[in-house]
Amino acid sequence: MNAPMRVAITGAAGQIAYNLIFRVASGEVFGDDQPLYLHLLEIPAAMKALDGVAMELDDCAYSLLKGVTLSDKAEEAFDGVSWALLVGSKPRGPGMERKDLLTENGKIFVGQGKALQRADSQLRVLVVGNPVNTNCLIALSNARSIPAGRFHAMTRLDHNRARAQLAAKAGVGVDAVSNVTIWGNHSATQFPDFLNARIAGRSAAEAIGDRAWLEGDFIATVQKRGAAVIEARGLSSAASAANAAIDHVRSMLYSTPEGDWTSSAVLSDGSYGIPEGIVSSFPIRIHDNGAWEIVQDLEINEFSRQRIEVSVKELQEERAVVESLLP
Ligand code: NAX
């Protein structure tokens, strides 16, 4: 058995967290030799609901779960944690402009970024709460003592959606689909890249043989999948979002299979001409020691370039709105 590890989850009474917390506590994410303390953060108004979540955790009698801390203070919730899954954020209210959503949520991530400095020196962070790229930028900018490379914003759900669409179209299992990339923002401007994707060892374009579908319906379906789920379910994606967060964390714990990569939004280092100072989704590869790198030298043609630029422009606009929150 390893020494117990502390994991923080914010927005812990929300619907994604309800699909996430129990899977983390069961050992599915960090392994069945990894005892855990869960630190669950909520706003004061949701603490009663969070009590209910804690009762259910007790009632699962998970042997790996050594303790649960419930808090409405980020400093307390992040104390000594090795992982922080930042799921909580404010939903868009009636009449709320995108700009207001960015600044309202931005303020949360200023405070949480600062409070993360109380975490363990090994800390790794996954931001899930929207607008996720820019929230992540704010958090990492305010957590000045923590290397920026420890911060990721989740685009794994988009990545998984793209793989599933390609597999269905090609009539193969999802395991046959590799080398998918989500570029840019986790928004309807994201670019799911089929050009570099592979299906059973062939290029996805060759395996599917329907360029019009790849350039049209495929991209649109992935970009608008979140809205389609809301339309059908009356609620936003929760189980699939929690599942993607688990996939992301697990991907960060093990080296990426040879020749493949995953998608994650990280602080740009200028790769592929994507300007520094924004958190954009890239193809990334993880090494044994937990270090990761942006995969270089992928083919970007004019079609891809134009679409990546649209999403990058949106990220630059988001950055401009929250500039005052970046120290
Ligand atoms: P819910 O509204 O069910 O839950 C959010 C929870 O966050 C609430 O319980 C709320 O009280 C809490 N919260 C708000 N401010 C907080 C703060 N300062 N500290 C701690 N907790 C706080 O939303 P849910 O469906 O769980 O979604 C959570 C976030 O994930 C949303 O921002 C959502 O847009 C985003 N998503 C991100 C996805 C991604 O791929 N990156 C996909 C799914 C989802 O849309």
Side-chain angles (χ1 to χ4, degrees):
M1 274 289 165
N2 294 323
M5 184 173 82
R6 296 178 182 277
V7 177
I9 301 178
T10 75
Q15 55 152 2
I16 294 178
Y18 195 68
N19 287 274
L20 177 62
I21 291 172
F22 297 87
R23 293 178 66 184
V24 172
S26 74
E28 182 187 340
V29 182
F30 295 101
D32 53 16
D33 56 354
Q34 181 57 67
L36 299 169
Y37 286 95
L38 283 180
H39 292 207
L40 306 180
L41 180 69
E42 258 299 346
I43 54 172
M47 290 307 284
K48 181 161 181 263
L50 190 57
D51 281 338
V53 174
M55 285 183 222
E56 287 202 72
L57 276 170
D58 284 347
D59 298 347
C60 290
Y62 289 124
S63 53
L64 291 169
L65 186 60
K66 299 303 172 195
V68 180
T69 304
L70 310 182
S71 179
D72 58 7
K73 292 176 190 64
E75 292 73 18
E76 192 173 65
F78 296 154
D79 198 23
V81 300
S82 302
W83 272 91
L85 308 177
L86 308 185
V87 180
S89 70
K90 269 193 196 162
R92 197 168 185 150
M96 204 175 182
E97 301 280 334
R98 186 173 171 79
K99 192 167 161 283
D100 303 329
L101 186 73
L102 279 159
T103 40
E104 280 304 304
N105 277 300
K107 287 181 212 150
I108 295 175
F109 288 85
V110 169
Q112 292 190 356
K114 288 183 177 148
L116 280 168
Q117 297 178 109
R118 299 179 61 108
D120 187 65
S121 63
Q122 299 305 311
L123 174 72
R124 292 199 248 175
V125 182
L126 174 65
V127 184
V128 175
N130 275 319
V132 66
N133 300 53
T134 299
N135 287 342
C136 182
L137 174 67
I138 296 167
L140 70 85
S141 305
N142 283 280
R144 305 193 80 158
S145 64
I146 305 171
R150 303 288 179 80
F151 286 78
H152 291 249
M154 188 169 93
T155 51
R156 184 57 173 263
L157 178 56
D158 311 292
H159 179 100
N160 287 350
R161 287 166 172 167
R163 281 185 73 206
Q165 291 300 316
L166 291 172
K169 182 71 175 175
V172 298
V174 280
D175 287 345
V177 181
S178 63
N179 304 87
V180 166
T181 312
I182 302 297
W183 297 92
N185 201 0
H186 167 70
S187 76
T189 66
Q190 66 178 269
F191 174 55
D193 180 352
F194 54 85
L195 191 65
N196 293 286
R198 301 192 71 77
I199 300 180
R202 298 158 74 198
S203 92
E206 198 185 297
I208 285 177
D210 184 347
R211 194 83 184 185
W213 178 82
L214 286 166
E215 291 185 356
D217 284 355
F218 165 67
I219 295 177
T221 301
V222 177
Q223 288 176 331
K224 296 180 194 151
R225 190 66 161 184
V229 170
I230 293 175
E231 171 67 24
R233 214 171 78 88
L235 289 167
S236 57
S237 315
S240 56
N243 184 68
I246 289 167
D247 282 350
H248 174 100
V249 172
R250 289 184 55 85
S251 287
M252 296 303 298
L253 300 177
Y254 307 102
S255 56
T256 309
E258 192 60 37
D260 202 2
W261 57 76
T262 186
S263 303
S264 181
V266 294
L267 186 65
S268 178
D269 62 356
S271 293
Y272 296 96
I274 295 176
E276 294 179 27
I278 55 171
V279 168
S280 170
S281 189
F282 282 100
I284 71 156
R285 185 179 289 135
I286 297 98
H287 302 291
D288 263 347
N289 58 1
W292 56 266
E293 61 176 350
I294 294 175
V295 178
Q296 300 295 329
D297 301 325
L298 299 190
E299 185 186 353
I300 307 283
N301 64 12
E302 193 46 35
F303 181 88
S304 322
R305 172 62 56 202
Q306 282 174 8
R307 277 151 191 82
I308 294 170
E309 275 173 8
V310 170
S311 203
V312 164
K313 184 163 173 280
E314 183 181 54
L315 286 169
Q316 289 176 302
E317 287 163 4
E318 288 189 9
R319 187 194 154 104
V321 172
V322 302
E323 195 75 54
S324 65
L325 304 178
L326 305 173

